[in-house]
């Protein structure tokens, strides 16, 4: 297994028996250039670029004890104070998988407690923030058990988060984040994400109001969706389009072009859903409310020339991104025109965020 992590860890780490408590909050992110389709061990078919959010985040605390003499792993998991068998199984599989990178894990007892800042039933994809928070906790644990500060802390966390959920690799960093190898950014990688520095930009104060059109479980999970991409007849064209859109996005970010930003973001959202519709089997995740919101957003933009546009993740909910300069008017528009398409009028007003935070515990 020759990859970045293994190359980095040339010398075997020495660990000491100890107990402790670590904790992190990790935000969710919204992709502007989408990751849809993967190969091998969570390697994306094309690079993606996202915006890290602020208000939608997961908090995870792990109480651990490490004893090199203990051979079996012992794990318990609670989500918002309750035992969750399905999540616990997923975490167990993930920990088994990454113990090749963090061998101390096979000698640990872990009590993992996790909660989200957003309602569980809101239909917001939580795997990015959840796997991000978990990976950050594990890297903190390794620092404590090895007694050494990690110079590649974030890179390592992003690498491990990616193995849990591809989009989670991007949640480790604030602002605009790229995951996937591209000649445009020489330090980019398929194995971890990197933050993108945007100088001189008008996007510093970007807002994202998440309109909850449908809460609850999606009919087709992201993992299943990525798999269906393997046989999509338009897949190669889509991967090429995404690479090209990244090139366009680099230019747009440099020049602070709101119109180009919106056009590209909406093209990516519709292209993602076109891939779902043209898959084998094809499926539709957008609802009538999603389409109505898209129509109204475009009409409103035409009438006001305000900087606002939509993007979608793999579901029916709509992310409405806009310039904070128009916040008052856009929120009035949301209240008057869009909430009627949201399940129980649910909306989460989020914004570009400053990234994960370590808890003082
Ligand atoms: C549509 O990261 O959830 O949100 O790697 O299987 O966990 P897995 O998939 P996931 O896919 C996210 C898909 C997306 C686009 C994106 O975030 O880039």
């Amino acid at each position: 297994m020759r990859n970045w992590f293994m190359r980095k860890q040339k010398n075997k780490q020495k660990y000491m028996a100890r107990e402790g408590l670590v904790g992190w909050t990790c935000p969710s992110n919204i992709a502007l250039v989408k990751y849809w389709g993967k190969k091998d061990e969570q390697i994306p078919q094309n690079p993606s670029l996202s915006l890290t959010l602020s208000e939608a985040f997961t908090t995870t605390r792990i109480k651990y004890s490490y004893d090199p003499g203990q051979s079996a792993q012992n794990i318990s998991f609670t989500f918002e104070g309750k035992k969750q068998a399905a999540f616990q199984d997923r975490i167990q599989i993930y920990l088994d998988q990454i113990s090749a990178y963090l061998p101390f894990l096979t000698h640990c007892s872990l009590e993992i407690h996790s909660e989200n800042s957003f309602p569980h039933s809101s239909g917001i994809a939580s795997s990015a923030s959840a796997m991000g928070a978990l990976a950050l906790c594990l890297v903190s644990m390794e620092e404590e058990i090895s007694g050494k500060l990690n110079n590649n802390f974030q890179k390592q966390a992003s690498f491990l988060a990616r193995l849990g959920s591809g989009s989670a690799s991007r949640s480790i960093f604030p602002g605009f984040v790229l995951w996937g190898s591209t000649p445009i950014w020489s330090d980019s990688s398929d194995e971890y994400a990197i933050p993108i520095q945007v100088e001189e930009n008008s996007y510093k104060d970007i807002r994202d109001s998440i309109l909850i059109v449908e809460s609850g479980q999606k009919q087709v999970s992201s993992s299943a969706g990525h798999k269906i991409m393997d046989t999509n007849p338009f897949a190669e064209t889509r991967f090429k389009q995404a690479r090209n859109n990244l090139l366009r996005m680099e230019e747009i970010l440099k020049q602070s072009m709101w119109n180009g930003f919106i056009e590209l973001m909406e093209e990516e959202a519709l292209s993602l859903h076109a891939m779902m519709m043209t898959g084998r089997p094809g499926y539709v995740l957008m609802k009538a409310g999603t389409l109505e919101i898209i129509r109204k957003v475009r009409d409103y933009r035409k009438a006001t020339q305000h900087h606002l546009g939509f993007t979608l993740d793999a579901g029916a909910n709509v992310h409405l991104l806009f310039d904070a300069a128009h916040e008052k008017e856009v929120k009035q528009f949301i209240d008057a025109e869009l909430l009627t398409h949201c399940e129980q009028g649910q909306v989460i007003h989020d914004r570009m965020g400053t990234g994960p935070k370590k808890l003082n515990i």
Side-chain angles (χ1 to χ4, degrees), residues 303-321:
T304 61
Q305 301 295 312
H306 287 166
H307 298 148
L308 92 164
F310 67 86
T311 186
L312 309 165
D313 57 18
N317 300 334
V318 181
H319 287 248
L320 194 62
L321 271 71

Side-chain angles (χ1 to χ4, degrees), residues 50 74 82 100 128-129 144 210 220 237 267 288 290 314 342 345:
S50 61
N74 220 328
K82 292 197 195 87
S129 55
E144 292 188 4
I210 311 167
V220 181
T237 310
E267 177 182 312
T290 315
C342 297

Side-chain angles (χ1 to χ4, degrees), residues 125-145:
S126 57
S127 70
S129 55
M131 295 315 293
L134 181 58
L136 286 158
C137 286
L138 296 175
V139 183
S140 279
M141 270 174 63
E142 194 201 27
E143 272 195 337
E144 292 188 4
I145 296 171

Side-chain angles (χ1 to χ4, degrees), residues 176-248:
F176 292 104
V177 185
L178 171 81
W179 166 44
S181 178
T182 161
I184 312 172
W185 281 279
S186 57
D187 51 344
S188 60
S189 169
D190 282 343
E191 299 182 75
Y192 48 80
I194 56 168
I196 296 299
Q197 302 306 336
V198 181
E199 290 151 35
E200 280 304 312
N201 76 89
S202 39
Y203 312 115
K204 281 213 169 73
D205 218 3
I206 205 159
R207 300 294 148 103
D208 177 9
S209 290
I210 311 167
L211 302 158
I212 311 297
V213 175
E214 185 187 49
S215 65
Q217 202 81 6
K218 291 180 280 196
Q219 300 131 315
V220 181
S221 70
S222 285
S223 299
H226 286 290
K227 233 186 162 39
I228 297 174
M229 260 314 259
D230 290 348
T231 55
N232 187 304
F234 302 105
E236 283 309 319
T237 310
R238 162 63 200 154
F239 303 145
K240 219 164 125 191
Q241 178 197 37
R243 280 183 216 115
N244 186 45
N245 278 350
L246 204 64
L247 258 174
R248 284 171 63 198

Side-chain angles (χ1 to χ4, degrees), residues 203 256-264 301 305-307:
Y203 312 115
S256 294
M257 298 184 290
W258 264 103
N259 290 346
F261 181 84
I262 289 165
E263 193 181 302
L264 198 152
R301 185 167 67 229
Q305 301 295 312
H306 287 166
H307 298 148

